[in-house]
Amino acid sequence: MMAAGQYVTHEEVWLSLPWLANGRLSQAERDRLEPHVQTCSTCREELTLQRRFCNALTEPDRVTYAPGPSFRKLMERIDSAPPQARNDTARDEVARPARRPVHLWRPPGLAWAAGFVLAIGLTSALTSVYNSARPLYQTHTDPVRGAPNILHIAFDRSVTVGEAEEALRSTGARIVEGPDSSGIFGIAPSVVASADTIPEHVSQEMHLLSARLRADPRVRWVEPIPGDDSSGGAPAPLSRGP
Amino acid sequence: MKGTQYIDPQTPAEPSYRSGSSAAREVELISRIAQGDRKAFEELYGLYHRRLARFLTRLTKRYDVAEEVINDTFYIVWRKAGDFRGESQPSTWILGIAYRKARNAFRSSSRILAIENPEAPPPPLTTDESLRTEELRDWLVHALVQLPVEQRLAVELCYELGYSCEEISSIMSCPVNTVKTRLFHARAKLQKLLPALGGLVPKDQGDRSSSGAGVKS
């Protein structure tokens, strides 16, 4: 442990004096420490005191302890304990570090948590992809935007509201929506179709109305009825450039 | 420097329970206990009962508590004997179990004692040399009560049961330097207490603990 003749400090000797006193140092350790004790009066006196402590505390007992009754109590306790518990309990009572039991199947714990996080991430990613695939804008040809039997119309910027109303009135149309933030109106024929009107007649009326409005130079564009195959859903040509 | 004469010839002899033959016998007993041999268990119990009873009664001041700790310790020995692989001395293994049981018991019993049995200090030390050792023990026991439990246990394991620093380190599950530090502080406190109690230590040595300065708690 310690080589004889090696340099030793007073503090090191001082810390080791209890074991020099109780006789539990190795010969090599004693050979190393004793020269200092021989020359240091403080350590020598302390060693004497330490030995007195050891002797005092190892004096024979004035009390006799009889183990018999205690042992009988212990055996009663052991006998009353479940026999199968002998090698399976009290794992934490010994200094050896406790080992976790090994199971063929383990509670999911971390694996489940990781799977849950992965599922959330995947769902989030798919949602992002879906959202990114959708246009961030809507047009007036968008089926969800347009209502049946309504045309969308944009007038030239120089056209006043009164002129727009006059143009609509002259072509047999009326405003039913808008204008929205872009100045787009929703219009419908002035004459409301009755419930028993044939759908083909309504469609034809809307096409005629659309044609009349496109002919008006104050109208920039008129959007056909959404979903109308006859118009192909294609944007109508601008009546006039921007 | 072997055989220098200043060394007190009254150095405590190696306790018989720690001799090589005793350790081998205990290993054999533990092996038999692992097979359920009650005779071997009774023999091992008898070997340790006296020293544990003395150590624990001094620590807890109550034999009933000491007996409970001893039986808790040997209950574990009975159940765990099959796990003992001889990696440490049998006495270190058993004392390690007893230490953990005693530490808990000490904390609860010391609270009881503080209420039920405030103990008066022993009378001053006599000048009769034949009685001095016995009285010194009484004074030491009285002074030990005033130490923190970990320091007190370290003192008892070193002075009374005669364990080496490494063995105490194993029993208390702490580093060797921690054992030395606990003993250092315990000694410093004892040296302050004992001169006042019985004039054991010369007055000019009342603060010799500073000679070992540099040890931190």
Side-chain angles (χ1 to χ4, degrees):
Chain A
M1 199 176 201
M2 289 184 278
Q6 194 178 341
Y7 178 73
V8 61
T9 63
H10 171 78
E11 287 74 20
E12 194 179 344
V13 176
W14 186 267
L15 288 172
S16 300
L17 287 176
W19 293 281
L20 197 56
N22 77 358
R24 293 307 312 283
L25 289 182
S26 67
Q27 185 62 50
E29 288 170 319
R30 286 203 303 274
D31 290 346
R32 182 166 174 264
L33 302 180
E34 283 172 355
H36 174 85
V37 178
Q38 193 175 25
T39 58
C40 176
S41 60
T42 307
C43 283
R44 200 160 53 240
E45 288 164 3
E46 175 70 5
L47 179 60
T48 303
L49 182 64
Q50 294 291 305
R51 286 199 170 120
R52 291 188 66 186
F53 286 177
C54 287
N55 288 332
L57 290 174
T58 51
E59 275 287 292
D61 286 317
R62 286 168 288 189
V63 178
T64 301
Y65 301 102
S70 297
F71 184 73
R72 280 193 290 278
K73 276 192 215 172
L74 175 59
M75 293 314 294
E76 284 170 12
R77 179 180 167 187
I78 287 170
D79 289 338
S80 65
Q84 70 274 14
R86 175 164 177 170
N87 287 320
D88 296 335
T89 59
R91 286 183 186 279
D92 58 339
E93 301 293 350
V94 293
R96 189 172 303 163
R99 288 184 301 177
R100 293 182 63 182
V102 177
H103 300 291
L104 292 175
W105 181 86
R106 291 186 176 188
L110 189 61
W112 278 13
F116 179 73
V117 170
L118 187 63
I120 293 288
L122 197 58
T123 303
S124 176
L126 288 173
T127 303
S128 298
V129 168
Y130 173 74
N131 286 335
S132 65
R134 296 177 59 194
L136 297 176
Y137 56 87
Q138 285 185 317
T139 69
H140 289 277
T141 58
D142 191 334
V144 299
R145 182 179 176 91
N149 302 331
I150 292 179
L151 292 173
H152 291 106
I153 185 169
F155 288 94
D156 190 273
R157 289 194 182 88
S158 61
V159 175
T160 64
V161 174
E163 289 172 338
E165 287 179 342
E166 173 57 29
L168 291 172
R169 198 165 34 248
S170 64
T171 54
R174 59 187 173 93
I175 297 173
V176 293
E177 286 180 0
D180 63 10
S181 58
S182 303
I184 310 298
F185 291 89
I187 61 171
S190 300
V191 181
V192 179
S194 60
D196 56 353
T197 305
I198 301 170
E200 287 77 10
H201 290 174
V202 174
S203 178
Q204 188 178 8
E205 176 65 20
M206 295 298 282
H207 278 285
L208 289 172
L209 178 58
S210 173
R212 286 197 297 271
L213 287 169
R214 283 175 181 161
D216 192 318
R218 292 168 296 184
V219 174
R220 296 183 64 196
W221 57 261
V222 177
E223 193 65 33
I225 299 169
D228 187 347
D229 291 338
S230 60
S231 66
L238 291 176
S239 301
R240 198 165 45 199
Chain B
M1 287 294 171
K2 295 174 189 175
T4 47
Q5 294 305 307
Y6 68 89
I7 297 294
D8 190 340
Q10 294 181 350
T11 296
E14 178 82 358
S16 59
Y17 58 79
R18 213 184 297 104
S19 66
S21 59
S22 174
R25 174 67 178 159
E26 289 174 16
V27 170
E28 183 200 337
L29 290 174
I30 292 171
S31 174
R32 285 167 52 196
I33 291 166
Q35 305 301 317
D37 188 331
R38 294 185 176 221
K39 279 286 179 192
F41 188 51
E42 186 171 9
E43 185 178 339
L44 190 70
Y45 187 91
L47 286 173
Y48 278 86
H49 183 271
R50 188 195 66 80
R51 86 182 82 146
L52 283 177
R54 173 176 159 145
F55 165 58
L56 294 168
T57 304
R58 183 175 292 165
L59 191 69
T60 62
K61 293 285 183 184
R62 286 174 52 165
Y63 179 69
D64 60 329
V65 176
E67 185 189 50
E68 191 178 322
V69 172
I70 292 169
N71 281 5
D72 283 349
T73 301
F74 272 84
Y75 187 76
I76 301 300
V77 169
W78 173 258
R79 290 182 178 277
K80 303 300 292 181
D83 290 351
F84 180 73
R85 299 280 180 260
E87 294 158 352
S88 62
Q89 291 286 319
S91 68
T92 307
W93 181 61
I94 294 170
L95 262 290
I97 299 169
Y99 164 75
R100 286 182 285 281
K101 293 289 182 187
R103 191 176 49 186
N104 296 334
F106 172 78
R107 284 173 180 149
S108 56
S109 69
S110 62
R111 284 196 294 272
I112 296 167
L113 282 169
I115 299 167
E116 294 180 352
N117 189 23
E119 187 180 349
L125 287 173
T126 177
T127 54
D128 184 347
E129 192 60 33
S130 63
L131 298 175
R132 281 182 68 87
T133 300
E134 193 172 326
E135 290 184 351
L136 174 60
R137 179 170 67 178
D138 291 340
W139 281 109
L140 270 174
V141 170
H142 188 74
L144 286 173
V145 174
Q146 300 179 49
L147 300 182
V149 62
E150 302 292 356
Q151 292 177 18
R152 189 174 167 185
L153 285 163
V155 167
E156 300 261 5
L157 289 168
C158 175
Y159 295 155
E160 182 186 343
L161 295 177
Y163 282 100
S164 70
C165 188
E166 291 74 17
E167 287 170 334
I168 296 172
S169 162
S170 176
I171 290 168
M172 300 182 88
S173 299
C174 66
V176 165
N177 283 339
T178 302
V179 175
K180 289 182 177 177
T181 303
R182 285 174 180 167
L183 257 295
F184 173 84
H185 289 295
R187 289 159 58 195
K189 286 175 188 167
L190 288 176
Q191 285 180 1
K192 284 180 181 171
L193 288 168
L194 289 172
L197 292 173
L200 175 71
V201 181
K203 289 185 178 4
D204 61 343
Q205 296 174 12
D207 195 24
R208 283 181 304 170
S209 60
S210 59
S211 300
V215 176
K216 294 175 183 173
S217 54

Coordinates of all heavy atoms in Angstrom, one line a residue, chain A residues 89-162:
Chain A
T89 N -36.3 -12.0 -1.2 CA -36.6 -10.7 -0.6 C -35.3 -10.0 0.0 O -34.2 -10.6 -0.1 CB -37.5 -11.0 0.6 OG1 -36.9 -11.9 1.5 CG2 -38.8 -11.5 0.2
A90 N -35.6 -8.9 0.5 CA -34.5 -8.1 1.1 C -33.3 -7.8 0.2 O -32.2 -7.7 0.7 CB -34.0 -8.8 2.4
R91 N -33.6 -7.6 -1.1 CA -32.5 -7.3 -2.0 C -31.8 -6.0 -1.6 O -30.6 -5.9 -1.9 CB -33.0 -7.2 -3.4 CG -33.4 -8.5 -4.0 CD -33.8 -8.4 -5.4 NE -34.3 -9.7 -5.9 CZ -33.6 -10.6 -6.4 NH1 -32.3 -10.4 -6.4 NH2 -34.1 -11.7 -6.8
D92 N -32.6 -5.1 -1.1 CA -32.0 -3.8 -0.8 C -31.3 -3.7 0.6 O -30.8 -2.7 1.0 CB -33.1 -2.7 -0.8 CG -34.2 -3.0 0.2 OD1 -34.3 -4.2 0.6 OD2 -34.9 -2.1 0.5
E93 N -31.2 -4.9 1.3 CA -30.6 -4.8 2.6 C -29.1 -5.1 2.6 O -28.4 -5.0 3.6 CB -31.3 -5.9 3.5 CG -32.8 -5.7 3.6 CD -33.1 -4.4 4.4 OE1 -32.2 -3.8 5.0 OE2 -34.3 -4.1 4.4
V94 N -28.6 -5.5 1.5 CA -27.2 -5.8 1.4 C -26.5 -4.7 0.5 O -27.1 -4.1 -0.3 CB -26.9 -7.2 0.8 CG1 -27.3 -8.3 1.8 CG2 -27.6 -7.4 -0.5
A95 N -25.2 -4.6 0.7 CA -24.5 -3.5 0.0 C -24.4 -3.7 -1.5 O -24.2 -2.8 -2.2 CB -23.1 -3.5 0.6
R96 N -24.6 -5.0 -1.9 CA -24.5 -5.2 -3.4 C -25.6 -4.5 -4.1 O -26.7 -4.4 -3.7 CB -24.7 -6.7 -3.6 CG -24.4 -7.2 -5.0 CD -24.4 -8.7 -5.1 NE -23.5 -9.2 -4.2 CZ -23.5 -10.5 -3.8 NH1 -24.5 -11.3 -4.2 NH2 -22.6 -10.9 -2.9
P97 N -25.2 -3.8 -5.2 CA -26.2 -3.0 -5.9 C -27.3 -3.9 -6.4 O -27.1 -5.0 -6.9 CB -25.4 -2.4 -7.1 CG -24.1 -3.2 -7.2 CD -23.9 -3.7 -5.9
A98 N -28.5 -3.5 -6.3 CA -29.7 -4.3 -6.7 C -29.7 -4.4 -8.2 O -29.4 -3.4 -8.9 CB -31.0 -3.6 -6.2
R99 N -30.1 -5.6 -8.7 CA -30.3 -5.8 -10.1 C -31.7 -5.9 -10.5 O -32.5 -6.5 -9.7 CB -29.5 -7.1 -10.6 CG -28.0 -6.9 -10.5 CD -27.4 -8.2 -11.1 NE -27.8 -9.4 -10.3 CZ -27.4 -10.6 -10.5 NH1 -26.7 -10.8 -11.6 NH2 -27.8 -11.6 -9.8
R100 N -32.1 -5.3 -11.6 CA -33.5 -5.4 -12.0 C -33.7 -6.8 -12.6 O -32.9 -7.4 -13.2 CB -33.7 -4.4 -13.1 CG -33.6 -3.0 -12.6 CD -34.0 -2.0 -13.7 NE -35.4 -2.2 -14.2 CZ -35.9 -1.5 -15.1 NH1 -35.2 -0.6 -15.7 NH2 -37.1 -1.7 -15.5
P101 N -34.9 -7.3 -12.2 CA -35.2 -8.7 -12.8 C -35.4 -8.6 -14.3 O -35.8 -7.6 -14.9 CB -36.6 -9.0 -12.1 CG -37.2 -7.7 -11.7 CD -36.0 -6.8 -11.4
V102 N -34.9 -9.7 -14.9 CA -35.0 -9.8 -16.4 C -36.3 -10.4 -16.8 O -36.6 -11.5 -16.3 CB -33.8 -10.6 -16.9 CG1 -33.8 -10.7 -18.4 CG2 -32.5 -9.9 -16.5
H103 N -37.0 -9.8 -17.6 CA -38.3 -10.4 -18.1 C -38.2 -10.6 -19.6 O -37.5 -9.8 -20.3 CB -39.4 -9.5 -17.8 CG -39.6 -9.2 -16.3 ND1 -40.1 -10.2 -15.5 CD2 -39.4 -8.1 -15.6 CE1 -40.1 -9.7 -14.3 NE2 -39.7 -8.4 -14.3
L104 N -38.9 -11.6 -20.1 CA -39.0 -11.8 -21.5 C -39.7 -10.6 -22.2 O -39.4 -10.2 -23.3 CB -39.6 -13.1 -21.9 CG -38.8 -14.4 -21.5 CD1 -39.6 -15.6 -21.7 CD2 -37.5 -14.4 -22.2
W105 N -40.8 -10.2 -21.5 CA -41.5 -9.1 -22.0 C -41.4 -7.9 -21.1 O -41.4 -8.1 -19.9 CB -43.0 -9.5 -22.2 CG -43.8 -8.3 -22.7 CD1 -44.0 -8.0 -24.0 CD2 -44.5 -7.3 -22.0 NE1 -44.8 -6.9 -24.1 CE2 -45.1 -6.5 -22.9 CE3 -44.7 -7.1 -20.6 CZ2 -45.9 -5.4 -22.5 CZ3 -45.5 -6.0 -20.2 CH2 -46.1 -5.2 -21.2
R106 N -41.1 -6.8 -21.6 CA -41.0 -5.6 -20.7 C -42.1 -4.6 -21.0 O -42.6 -4.6 -22.1 CB -39.7 -4.9 -21.0 CG -38.4 -5.6 -20.6 CD -37.2 -4.8 -20.8 NE -36.0 -5.4 -20.4 CZ -34.9 -4.9 -20.3 NH1 -34.7 -3.6 -20.6 NH2 -33.8 -5.5 -19.8
P107 N -42.5 -3.9 -20.0 CA -43.5 -2.9 -20.2 C -43.0 -2.0 -21.3 O -41.9 -1.7 -21.3 CB -43.6 -2.2 -18.8 CG -43.1 -3.2 -17.9 CD -42.1 -4.0 -18.6
P108 N -44.0 -1.5 -22.1 CA -43.5 -0.7 -23.3 C -42.8 0.5 -22.9 O -41.8 0.8 -23.6 CB -44.8 -0.4 -24.0 CG -45.9 -0.7 -23.0 CD -45.4 -1.7 -22.1
G109 N -43.2 1.3 -21.9 CA -42.5 2.4 -21.5 C -42.0 3.3 -22.6 O -42.8 3.9 -23.4
L110 N -40.7 3.3 -22.7 CA -40.1 4.3 -23.6 C -40.4 4.0 -25.1 O -40.6 4.9 -25.9 CB -38.6 4.2 -23.4 CG -37.7 5.2 -24.1 CD1 -38.1 6.6 -23.6 CD2 -36.3 5.0 -23.9
A111 N -40.6 2.7 -25.4 CA -40.9 2.3 -26.8 C -42.2 2.9 -27.2 O -42.4 3.5 -28.3 CB -40.8 0.8 -27.0
W112 N -43.2 2.8 -26.3 CA -44.5 3.3 -26.6 C -44.5 4.8 -26.7 O -45.1 5.4 -27.6 CB -45.5 2.9 -25.5 CG -46.0 1.5 -25.8 CD1 -45.5 0.6 -26.7 CD2 -47.1 0.9 -25.2 NE1 -46.3 -0.6 -26.6 CE2 -47.3 -0.4 -25.7 CE3 -48.1 1.3 -24.2 CZ2 -48.2 -1.3 -25.3 CZ3 -49.1 0.4 -23.8 CH2 -49.1 -0.9 -24.3
A113 N -43.8 5.4 -25.8 CA -43.6 6.9 -25.9 C -43.0 7.3 -27.2 O -43.5 8.3 -27.8 CB -42.8 7.4 -24.7
A114 N -42.0 6.6 -27.6 CA -41.3 7.0 -28.8 C -42.2 6.8 -30.0 O -42.3 7.6 -31.0 CB -40.0 6.1 -29.0
G115 N -43.0 5.7 -30.0 CA -44.0 5.4 -31.1 C -45.0 6.5 -31.2 O -45.4 7.0 -32.2
F116 N -45.5 6.9 -30.0 CA -46.5 8.0 -29.9 C -46.0 9.3 -30.5 O -46.6 9.9 -31.3 CB -46.9 8.2 -28.5 CG -47.9 9.3 -28.3 CD1 -49.3 9.0 -28.6 CD2 -47.6 10.5 -27.7 CE1 -50.2 10.0 -28.5 CE2 -48.5 11.5 -27.6 CZ -49.9 11.3 -27.9
V117 N -44.7 9.6 -30.2 CA -44.1 10.9 -30.7 C -44.0 10.7 -32.2 O -44.2 11.7 -32.9 CB -42.8 11.1 -30.0 CG1 -42.0 12.2 -30.7 CG2 -43.0 11.5 -28.5
L118 N -43.6 9.5 -32.7 CA -43.4 9.3 -34.1 C -44.7 9.5 -34.8 O -44.8 10.1 -35.9 CB -42.8 7.9 -34.3 CG -42.4 7.6 -35.8 CD1 -41.3 8.5 -36.2 CD2 -41.9 6.2 -35.9
A119 N -45.8 8.9 -34.3 CA -47.1 9.0 -34.9 C -47.5 10.5 -35.0 O -48.1 10.9 -36.0 CB -48.1 8.2 -34.1
I120 N -47.3 11.2 -33.9 CA -47.7 12.6 -33.9 C -46.9 13.4 -35.0 O -47.4 14.2 -35.8 CB -47.4 13.3 -32.5 CG1 -48.3 12.7 -31.5 CG2 -47.5 14.8 -32.6 CD1 -49.7 13.1 -31.6
G121 N -45.6 13.1 -35.1 CA -44.8 13.7 -36.1 C -45.2 13.4 -37.5 O -45.2 14.3 -38.3
L122 N -45.5 12.1 -37.7 CA -45.9 11.7 -39.0 C -47.2 12.4 -39.5 O -47.4 12.8 -40.6 CB -46.1 10.2 -39.1 CG -46.1 9.5 -40.4 CD1 -44.8 9.8 -41.2 CD2 -46.2 8.0 -40.2
T123 N -48.2 12.4 -38.5 CA -49.5 13.0 -38.8 C -49.3 14.5 -39.1 O -49.8 15.0 -40.1 CB -50.4 12.9 -37.6 OG1 -50.5 11.5 -37.3 CG2 -51.7 13.5 -37.8
S124 N -48.4 15.1 -38.3 CA -48.1 16.5 -38.6 C -47.5 16.8 -39.9 O -47.9 17.7 -40.7 CB -47.2 17.0 -37.5 OG -46.8 18.4 -37.7
A125 N -46.6 15.9 -40.3 CA -45.9 16.0 -41.6 C -46.9 15.8 -42.7 O -46.9 16.6 -43.7 CB -44.8 15.0 -41.7
L126 N -47.7 14.8 -42.6 CA -48.7 14.5 -43.7 C -49.7 15.7 -43.8 O -50.1 16.1 -44.9 CB -49.5 13.2 -43.4 CG -48.6 12.0 -43.6 CD1 -49.4 10.8 -43.1 CD2 -48.2 11.8 -45.1
T127 N -50.1 16.3 -42.7 CA -51.0 17.4 -42.7 C -50.3 18.6 -43.4 O -51.0 19.3 -44.2 CB -51.4 17.8 -41.3 OG1 -52.0 16.6 -40.7 CG2 -52.4 18.9 -41.3
S128 N -49.0 18.8 -43.1 CA -48.3 19.9 -43.8 C -48.2 19.7 -45.3 O -48.4 20.6 -46.0 CB -46.9 20.0 -43.2 OG -47.0 20.2 -41.8
V129 N -48.0 18.4 -45.7 CA -47.8 18.1 -47.1 C -49.2 18.4 -47.8 O -49.3 19.0 -48.9 CB -47.4 16.7 -47.3 CG1 -47.6 16.3 -48.8 CG2 -46.0 16.5 -46.9
Y130 N -50.3 17.9 -47.2 CA -51.6 18.1 -47.7 C -51.9 19.6 -47.9 O -52.4 20.1 -48.9 CB -52.6 17.4 -46.8 CG -54.1 17.7 -47.2 CD1 -54.6 17.1 -48.4 CD2 -54.9 18.6 -46.5 CE1 -55.9 17.4 -48.8 CE2 -56.2 18.9 -46.9 CZ -56.7 18.3 -48.0 OH -58.0 18.5 -48.4
N131 N -51.6 20.4 -46.8 CA -51.9 21.8 -46.8 C -51.1 22.5 -47.8 O -51.5 23.5 -48.5 CB -51.7 22.4 -45.4 CG -52.8 22.0 -44.4 OD1 -53.9 21.7 -44.9 ND2 -52.5 22.0 -43.2
S132 N -49.8 22.1 -47.9 CA -48.9 22.8 -48.9 C -49.4 22.5 -50.3 O -49.1 23.2 -51.2 CB -47.5 22.4 -48.7 OG -47.3 21.0 -49.0
A133 N -50.0 21.3 -50.5 CA -50.5 21.0 -51.9 C -51.7 21.8 -52.3 O -52.0 21.9 -53.5 CB -50.8 19.5 -52.0
R134 N -52.4 22.3 -51.3 CA -53.6 23.1 -51.6 C -53.2 24.5 -51.9 O -52.3 25.1 -51.3 CB -54.6 23.1 -50.5 CG -55.1 21.7 -50.1 CD -56.0 21.8 -48.9 NE -57.1 22.7 -49.1 CZ -57.9 23.2 -48.1 NH1 -57.6 22.8 -46.9 NH2 -58.9 24.0 -48.3
P135 N -53.9 25.2 -52.9 CA -53.5 26.6 -53.2 C -53.9 27.5 -52.0 O -54.8 27.2 -51.3 CB -54.4 26.9 -54.4 CG -55.5 26.0 -54.4 CD -55.0 24.7 -53.8
L136 N -53.1 28.5 -51.9 CA -53.3 29.4 -50.8 C -54.3 30.5 -51.2 O -54.5 31.5 -50.4 CB -51.9 30.1 -50.3 CG -50.9 29.0 -49.8 CD1 -49.6 29.8 -49.5 CD2 -51.5 28.3 -48.6
Y137 N -54.9 30.4 -52.3 CA -55.9 31.4 -52.8 C -57.1 30.7 -53.3 O -57.2 29.5 -53.4 CB -55.3 32.2 -54.0 CG -54.8 31.3 -55.1 CD1 -55.7 30.9 -56.1 CD2 -53.5 30.8 -55.1 CE1 -55.4 30.1 -57.1 CE2 -53.2 29.9 -56.2 CZ -54.1 29.6 -57.2 OH -53.7 28.7 -58.2
Q138 N -58.2 31.5 -53.4 CA -59.4 30.9 -54.0 C -59.8 31.8 -55.2 O -59.5 33.0 -55.2 CB -60.5 31.0 -53.0 CG -60.4 29.9 -51.9 CD -61.6 29.9 -51.0 OE1 -62.1 31.0 -50.6 NE2 -62.1 28.7 -50.7
T139 N -60.4 31.2 -56.2 CA -60.9 31.9 -57.3 C -62.4 31.9 -57.3 O -63.0 31.2 -56.6 CB -60.4 31.3 -58.7 OG1 -61.0 30.1 -58.9 CG2 -58.9 31.1 -58.6
H140 N -62.9 32.7 -58.2 CA -64.3 32.8 -58.3 C -64.9 31.7 -59.1 O -66.1 31.5 -59.3 CB -64.7 34.2 -58.9 CG -64.5 35.3 -57.9 ND1 -65.4 35.6 -56.9 CD2 -63.5 36.1 -57.8 CE1 -65.0 36.6 -56.2 NE2 -63.8 36.9 -56.7
T141 N -64.0 30.8 -59.6 CA -64.4 29.6 -60.2 C -64.4 28.4 -59.3 O -64.7 27.3 -59.7 CB -63.6 29.2 -61.5 OG1 -62.2 29.1 -61.0 CG2 -63.6 30.3 -62.5
D142 N -63.9 28.7 -58.1 CA -63.8 27.6 -57.1 C -65.2 27.1 -56.8 O -66.1 27.9 -56.5 CB -63.2 28.2 -55.9 CG -62.8 27.0 -54.9 OD1 -63.5 26.0 -55.0 OD2 -61.9 27.2 -54.1
P143 N -65.5 25.8 -56.9 CA -66.8 25.3 -56.7 C -67.4 25.6 -55.3 O -68.6 25.7 -55.2 CB -66.6 23.7 -56.9 CG -65.4 23.6 -57.7 CD -64.5 24.7 -57.4
V144 N -66.5 25.6 -54.4 CA -67.0 25.9 -53.0 C -67.4 27.3 -52.8 O -68.0 27.7 -51.9 CB -66.0 25.5 -51.9 CG1 -65.7 24.0 -52.1 CG2 -64.7 26.3 -52.1
R145 N -66.8 28.2 -53.7 CA -67.1 29.6 -53.5 C -68.4 30.0 -54.1 O -69.2 30.7 -53.6 CB -65.9 30.4 -54.0 CG -66.1 31.9 -53.8 CD -64.9 32.7 -54.3 NE -65.1 34.1 -54.2 CZ -64.8 34.8 -53.2 NH1 -64.2 34.2 -52.1 NH2 -65.0 36.1 -53.1
G146 N -68.6 29.6 -55.3 CA -69.7 30.0 -56.1 C -71.0 29.4 -55.7 O -71.1 28.2 -55.4
A147 N -72.0 30.2 -55.6 CA -73.4 29.7 -55.3 C -74.1 29.5 -56.7 O -73.8 30.1 -57.7 CB -74.1 30.7 -54.5
P148 N -75.1 28.6 -56.7 CA -75.7 28.3 -58.0 C -76.5 29.6 -58.5 O -77.0 30.3 -57.7 CB -76.7 27.2 -57.6 CG -76.8 27.2 -56.2 CD -75.6 27.8 -55.6
N149 N -76.5 29.7 -59.8 CA -77.3 30.8 -60.4 C -76.8 32.2 -60.1 O -77.6 33.1 -60.0 CB -78.8 30.7 -60.1 CG -79.3 29.3 -60.5 OD1 -78.8 28.7 -61.5 ND2 -80.3 28.8 -59.8
I150 N -75.5 32.3 -59.8 CA -75.0 33.6 -59.5 C -73.8 33.8 -60.4 O -72.9 32.9 -60.5 CB -74.6 33.7 -58.0 CG1 -75.8 33.7 -57.1 CG2 -73.8 35.0 -57.8 CD1 -75.5 33.8 -55.7
L151 N -73.7 35.0 -61.0 CA -72.5 35.4 -61.8 C -71.7 36.3 -61.0 O -72.2 37.0 -60.2 CB -73.0 36.1 -63.1 CG -73.7 35.2 -64.2 CD1 -74.2 36.2 -65.3 CD2 -72.8 34.2 -64.7
H152 N -70.4 36.2 -61.2 CA -69.5 37.2 -60.6 C -69.0 38.2 -61.6 O -68.6 37.8 -62.7 CB -68.3 36.4 -59.9 CG -68.8 35.6 -58.8 ND1 -68.9 34.2 -58.8 CD2 -69.2 36.0 -57.5 CE1 -69.3 33.8 -57.6 NE2 -69.5 34.8 -56.8
I153 N -69.0 39.4 -61.2 CA -68.7 40.4 -62.2 C -67.7 41.5 -61.6 O -67.9 41.8 -60.4 CB -70.0 41.1 -62.7 CG1 -69.7 42.1 -63.8 CG2 -70.8 41.7 -61.6 CD1 -71.0 42.6 -64.6
A154 N -66.8 42.0 -62.5 CA -65.9 43.0 -62.1 C -66.1 44.2 -63.1 O -66.0 43.9 -64.3 CB -64.5 42.5 -62.0
F155 N -66.3 45.3 -62.6 CA -66.4 46.5 -63.4 C -65.1 47.2 -63.5 O -64.2 47.0 -62.7 CB -67.5 47.5 -62.9 CG -68.9 47.0 -63.0 CD1 -69.5 46.3 -62.0 CD2 -69.6 47.2 -64.2 CE1 -70.8 45.8 -62.1 CE2 -70.9 46.7 -64.3 CZ -71.5 46.0 -63.3
D156 N -65.0 48.1 -64.6 CA -63.8 48.9 -64.7 C -63.7 49.8 -63.4 O -64.7 50.2 -62.9 CB -63.9 49.7 -65.9 CG -62.6 50.4 -66.3 OD1 -62.4 51.6 -65.7 OD2 -61.7 49.9 -67.0
R157 N -62.4 50.1 -63.0 CA -62.3 50.9 -61.8 C -62.9 52.3 -61.9 O -63.2 52.9 -60.9 CB -60.8 51.0 -61.5 CG -60.1 49.8 -61.0 CD -58.8 50.0 -60.4 NE -58.1 48.8 -60.0 CZ -57.4 48.1 -60.7 NH1 -57.1 48.4 -62.0 NH2 -56.8 46.9 -60.3
S158 N -63.0 52.8 -63.1 CA -63.5 54.1 -63.3 C -65.0 54.2 -63.2 O -65.6 55.3 -63.1 CB -63.1 54.7 -64.7 OG -63.7 53.9 -65.7
V159 N -65.7 53.0 -63.2 CA -67.1 53.0 -63.1 C -67.6 53.2 -61.7 O -67.1 52.6 -60.8 CB -67.6 51.6 -63.6 CG1 -69.1 51.5 -63.5 CG2 -67.2 51.4 -65.1
T160 N -68.5 54.1 -61.6 CA -69.1 54.4 -60.3 C -70.1 53.4 -59.9 O -70.6 52.6 -60.8 CB -69.7 55.8 -60.3 OG1 -70.9 55.8 -61.2 CG2 -68.7 56.9 -60.7
V161 N -70.6 53.5 -58.7 CA -71.6 52.5 -58.2 C -72.9 52.7 -59.0 O -73.6 51.8 -59.4 CB -71.8 52.6 -56.7 CG1 -72.9 51.8 -56.2 CG2 -70.5 52.3 -55.9
G162 N -73.2 54.0 -59.2 CA -74.4 54.3 -59.9 C -74.4 53.8 -61.3 O -75.4 53.2 -61.8

